[in-house]
């Protein structure tokens, strides 16, 4: 089906032509109930989408599009364990990882819960031993430093969550995340850390990812230089992987290998043992509270009618902005320092899942799919790129994300932080008209000539759509809900666009080429004739200047 030719799509296009005559100022003026109508709350998580450029007919039309795309049926297929990741022939069951029920899941015949619970137990044992100081290094010292070595989904989720929940972090443990192949990431850390008190978690679903493998081997060499004995690896290395054989080859004993499964996508793996560093930081009960938050969102997603379903509404708004308003990018603006990694996490979640132009049926998509996701801590952005958001003339929908109370409170900080967050979304939505700007300049005592010079610079077009997501506090439960909200939003968008959101073939070509170019960088000239002139020119530069 070419979704863009359906009556549902066409009538949304027509509606948008009518609606674009209206500014957000008009939409708010027309409807005093607008906030009430276009906001929703689930267990304290408040989503205000009233500053999006929608009205009720637009939302109704988008809901019709969701029904036409069989969103509910696809959701049920995912939760029932069907192999909806067709290009990899895999089920998509990360929701099992946060299923806290004692019932079989997804069904009695293929119940994955016994394995999930067994690994949770293994995590709990490790977490309790490390946090209590019972886990000892090769010289008998308690662990003080945890280094997670991983990349992509094996880095971004745990790094985000550990930082987000830092207020609850164990006082005697320090956490580090190493992902970059550039030795400038690992080297300064190894200089600082003591091998006797350092525990590495090698998080890699495949255990073949080049960046992780090279960093892990360097860390092992560093440990062995101090410990000298192979058995020390068992005191200082844990693996989280779906390839236990490869972890064994690395030297990690079975007791330290935590399994994940092929039905957990890398970018959906925070809820698995990939989240071990989070559990070490906040304790297993804190980690399980995060799982409960995600499970709450799963249950809401499964049971709530589409018109009140938060991930569905978020997805529909994104489809509206992308396909009907023509937005090419979207900004994620966390205001709490502790969720500073949210934009990076969502970049992978959204763009690796839906950054595609081919549908699950192998046919080219008939509409544009995922916008470019980017973002930064909100207040930092205010003093950097917000100028362009306000007056740059681009349509850039924003998600403002903020917790009502601070996780690291100091007197005098939180209220101004919240004021800034709310001021920005209001300024983006409502702008400043020419007559408002003129009045301000007149009141400031400027003469006509001065006003004429300044006026064009003081006008703000506004009409920039945004959603504000508020949490009462940054706690594990709210974080779990927030991240699961975005996961399901991405899924629903994928369904509407006709995409398999769970593969990522687009990252493979670069990996293949890097492997092919490595010998050339190292000086092997056998393949030089096959290289394009740009690549060979750049390699020649490395051969002259690099120290490989
Ligand atoms: O290259 C992309 C990717 O496959 C991501 O999907 C994944 O999160 C990341 O690499 C890391 O993969 P692994 O956990 O297998 O090391």
């Amino acid at each position: 089906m070419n979704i863009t030719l359906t009556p549902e799509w066409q009538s949304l296009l027509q509606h948008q032509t009518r609606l674009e005559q209206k500014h957000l100022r008009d939409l708010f003026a027309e409807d005093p109930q607008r906030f009430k109508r276009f906001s929703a709350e689930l267990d304290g998580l408040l989503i205000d989408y009233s500053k999006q450029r929608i009205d009720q007919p637009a939302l109704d039309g988008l809901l019709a599009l969701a029904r036409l795309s069989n969103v509910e049926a696809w959701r049920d297929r995912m939760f029932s364990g069907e192999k909806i990741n067709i290009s990899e022939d895999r089920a998509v069951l990360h929701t099992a990882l946060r299923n806290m029920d004692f019932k079989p899941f997804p069904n009695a015949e293929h119940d994955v819960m016994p394995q999930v619970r067994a690994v949770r137990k293994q995590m709990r044992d490790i977490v309790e031993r490390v946090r209590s100081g019972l886990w000892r290094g090769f010289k008998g010292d308690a662990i003080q430093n945890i280094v997670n070595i991983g990349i992509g989904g094996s880095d971004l989720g745990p790094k985000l969550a550990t930082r987000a929940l830092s207020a609850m972090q164990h006082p005697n443990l320090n956490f580090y995340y190493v992902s970059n192949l550039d030795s400038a990431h690992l080297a300064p850390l190894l200089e600082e850390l003591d091998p006797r008190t350092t525990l590495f978690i090698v998080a890699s679903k495949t255990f073949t990812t080049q960046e992780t493998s090279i960093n892990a081997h360097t860390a092992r060499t560093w440990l062995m230089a101090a410990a000298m004995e192979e058995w020390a690896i068992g005191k200082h290395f844990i693996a989280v992987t779906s390839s236990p054989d490869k972890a064994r080859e690395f030297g990690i004993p079975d007791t330290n290998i935590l399994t994940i499964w092929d039905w957990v996508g890398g970018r959906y793996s925070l809820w698995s043992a990939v989240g071990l560093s989070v559990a070490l930081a906040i304790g297993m009960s804190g980690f399980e509270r995060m799982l409960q938050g995600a499970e709450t969102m799963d249950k809401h997603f499964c049971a709530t009618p589409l018109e009140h379903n938060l991930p569905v509404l978020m997805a529909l708004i994104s489809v509206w902005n992308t396909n009907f308003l023509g937005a090419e990018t979207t900004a994620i603006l966390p205001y709490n320092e502790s969720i500073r990694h949210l934009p990076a996490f969502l970049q992978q979640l959204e763009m690796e899942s839906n950054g595609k132009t081919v549908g699950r049926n192998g046919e080219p998509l008939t509409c544009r799919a995922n916008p470019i996701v980017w973002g930064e801590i909100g207040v930092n952005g205010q003093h950097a790129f917000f100028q362009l958001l306000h007056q740059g003339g681009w349509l850039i929908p924003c998600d403002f994300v903020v917790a009502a109370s601070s996780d690291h409170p100091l007197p005098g900080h939180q209220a101004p932080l919240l004021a800034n967050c709310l001021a920005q979304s209001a300024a983006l939505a409502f702008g400043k008209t020419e007559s408002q700007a003129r009045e301000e300049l007149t009141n400031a005592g400027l003469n006509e000539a001065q006003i004429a010079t300044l006026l064009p610079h003081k006008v703000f077009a506004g009409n920039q759509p945004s959603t504000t997501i508020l949490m009462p506090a940054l706690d594990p439960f709210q974080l779990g809900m927030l991240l699961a909200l975005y996961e399901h939003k991405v899924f629903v968008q994928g369904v509407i666009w006709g995409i398999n959101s769970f593969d990522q073939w687009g990252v493979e070509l670069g990996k293949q080429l890097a492997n092919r170019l490595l010998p050339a960088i190292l000086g092997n000239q056998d393949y030089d004739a096959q290289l394009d002139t740009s690549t060979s020119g750049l390699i020649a530069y490395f051969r002259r200047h690099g120290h490989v």
Side-chain angles (χ1 to χ4, degrees):
M1 171 181 70
N2 179 343
I3 196 165
T4 64
L5 300 179
T6 60
E8 286 81 354
W9 190 282
Q10 290 299 319
S11 92
L12 276 165
L13 274 180
Q14 282 165 16
H15 185 64
Q16 160 51 13
T17 318
R18 288 192 294 275
L19 197 58
E20 76 187 354
Q21 313 302 323
K22 291 192 182 173
H23 194 282
L24 274 167
R25 286 191 286 263
D26 306 318
L27 296 175
F28 272 85
E30 279 170 12
D31 182 4
Q33 297 299 313
R34 188 170 169 84
F35 171 77
K36 205 167 162 212
R37 196 184 307 285
F38 297 123
S39 65
E41 196 175 327
L42 176 67
D43 278 11
L45 186 82
L46 173 71
I47 303 184
D48 170 20
Y49 52 100
S50 61
K51 293 196 192 87
Q52 292 290 344
R53 278 161 48 179
I54 50 160
D55 60 2
Q56 196 56 51
L59 203 51
D60 292 342
L62 289 162
L63 286 161
L65 202 61
R67 291 197 179 92
L68 176 76
S69 313
N70 294 318
V71 164
E72 284 158 303
W74 277 102
R75 174 197 63 196
D76 296 346
R77 289 168 80 174
M78 175 168 75
F79 276 84
S80 72
E82 202 180 303
K83 292 187 172 176
I84 59 168
N85 176 358
I86 42 164
S87 72
E88 296 181 315
D89 194 29
R90 290 176 184 168
V92 176
L93 281 175
H94 51 278
T95 50
L97 302 166
R98 59 241 192 167
N99 175 20
M100 308 306 268
D101 277 351
F102 287 95
K103 291 185 227 135
F105 185 85
N107 52 55
E109 211 184 323
H110 301 288
D111 185 12
V112 299
M113 291 316 295
Q115 323 167 52
V116 170
R117 284 188 211 107
V119 175
R120 269 189 216 149
K121 180 175 179 317
Q122 212 184 340
M123 282 175 78
R124 181 180 292 281
D125 290 347
I126 293 172
V127 165
E128 281 173 3
R129 279 164 57 217
V130 172
R131 284 171 61 90
S132 66
L134 277 178
W135 182 299
R136 298 283 161 156
F138 71 93
K139 283 278 191 195
D141 304 86
I143 297 299
Q144 291 171 10
N145 303 300
I146 317 279
V147 182
N148 186 85
I149 299 180
I151 197 163
S154 300
D155 168 67
L156 293 164
K159 184 166 65 186
L160 160 66
T162 303
R163 183 71 192 266
L165 305 171
S166 56
M168 300 171 59
Q169 190 172 308
H170 191 291
N172 301 339
L173 295 174
N174 304 308
F175 291 84
Y176 306 92
Y177 290 84
V178 174
S179 56
N180 199 338
L181 199 40
D182 181 357
S183 47
H185 202 172
L186 184 57
L189 201 54
L190 296 184
E191 270 171 36
E192 188 189 313
L193 299 182
D194 182 340
R196 293 170 301 183
T197 57
T198 300
L199 178 63
F200 293 96
I201 302 170
V202 184
S204 178
K205 184 177 163 188
T206 54
F207 228 75
T208 55
T209 303
Q210 187 190 45
E211 295 87 339
T212 301
S213 178
I214 291 176
N215 278 324
H217 278 91
T218 302
R220 190 178 66 174
T221 305
W222 174 80
L223 175 78
M224 293 315 293
M228 313 298 276
E229 305 274 358
E230 286 279 327
W231 57 260
I233 294 176
K235 305 262 178 204
H236 294 272
F237 276 87
I238 291 173
V240 182
T241 184
S242 62
S243 302
D245 289 349
K246 296 199 177 79
R248 272 181 218 119
E249 272 167 39
F250 183 92
I252 299 179
D254 276 3
T255 45
N256 292 11
I257 299 176
L258 303 181
T259 307
I260 56 172
W261 305 273
D262 68 357
W263 41 262
V264 184
R267 52 194 174 274
Y268 300 88
S269 64
L270 166 64
W271 324 101
S272 72
V274 166
L276 179 64
S277 56
V278 185
L280 285 164
I282 65 169
M284 197 61 192
S285 53
F287 183 74
E288 286 178 347
R289 191 75 189 127
M290 185 176 82
L291 300 185
Q292 281 165 0
E295 183 192 33
T296 299
M297 188 55 73
D298 293 342
K299 287 187 168 157
H300 166 86
F301 180 49
C302 286
T304 311
L306 297 187
E307 54 272 32
H308 302 296
N309 196 307
L310 299 184
V312 172
L313 292 168
M314 294 268 294
L316 294 178
I317 286 164
S318 178
V319 167
W320 176 250
N321 287 335
T322 306
N323 300 113
F324 298 94
L325 301 193
E328 292 177 341
T329 86
T330 188
I332 307 294
L333 304 166
Y335 270 68
N336 302 80
E337 183 65 23
S338 298
I339 44 171
R340 66 167 315 119
H341 298 305
L342 185 64
F345 174 83
L346 292 181
Q347 281 182 321
Q348 187 199 20
L349 180 62
E350 299 228 1
M351 295 202 279
E352 198 168 66
S353 298
N354 288 337
K356 296 165 189 170
T357 51
V358 171
R360 69 173 95 80
N361 56 5
E363 299 287 325
L365 298 185
T366 50
C367 60
R368 190 185 275 284
N370 217 88
I372 297 156
V373 178
W374 58 286
E376 166 61 299
I377 287 284
V379 286
N380 294 344
Q382 287 174 209
H383 297 276
F385 54 80
F386 269 52
Q387 164 63 38
L388 180 142
L389 297 185
H390 287 295
Q391 291 185 315
W394 295 88
L395 175 69
I396 303 181
C398 301
D399 282 1
F400 290 84
V401 186
V402 67
S405 55
S406 173
D407 48 328
H408 293 277
L410 284 175
H413 286 248
Q414 185 67 3
L417 180 79
L418 298 178
N420 270 280
C421 176
L422 302 189
Q424 289 299 327
S425 65
L428 286 168
F430 307 121
K432 193 186 282 179
T433 62
E434 196 175 308
S435 65
Q436 287 170 327
R438 176 179 289 283
E439 193 182 325
E440 261 184 30
L441 294 171
T442 310
N443 291 344
L446 273 68
N447 64 34
E448 262 316 306
Q450 289 169 318
I451 290 175
T453 308
L454 275 181
L455 194 59
H457 304 283
K458 295 281 189 173
V459 173
F460 290 67
N463 217 17
Q464 287 280 17
S466 70
T467 295
T468 302
I469 303 179
L470 292 175
M471 293 167 278
L474 257 184
D475 63 35
F477 185 85
Q478 292 292 327
L479 184 71
M481 278 209 295
L482 177 74
L483 301 184
L485 167 76
Y486 275 104
E487 284 182 352
H488 293 318
K489 168 202 172 237
V490 166
F491 171 71
V492 173
Q493 284 170 281
V495 170
I496 293 173
W497 289 322
I499 287 173
N500 171 12
S501 302
F502 300 101
D503 60 11
Q504 58 283 317
W505 297 105
V507 300
E508 293 304 321
L509 177 60
K511 289 186 195 173
Q512 275 172 13
L513 289 181
N515 286 335
R516 251 186 262 161
L517 292 180
L518 182 60
I521 301 232
L522 290 169
N524 182 337
Q525 296 178 1
D526 293 354
Y527 301 103
D528 280 10
Q530 296 168 29
L531 298 174
D532 65 84
T533 56
S534 166
T535 305
S536 64
L538 298 172
I539 286 177
Y541 179 92
F542 285 139
R543 285 180 187 156
R544 283 198 305 278
H545 297 286
H547 302 281
V548 289

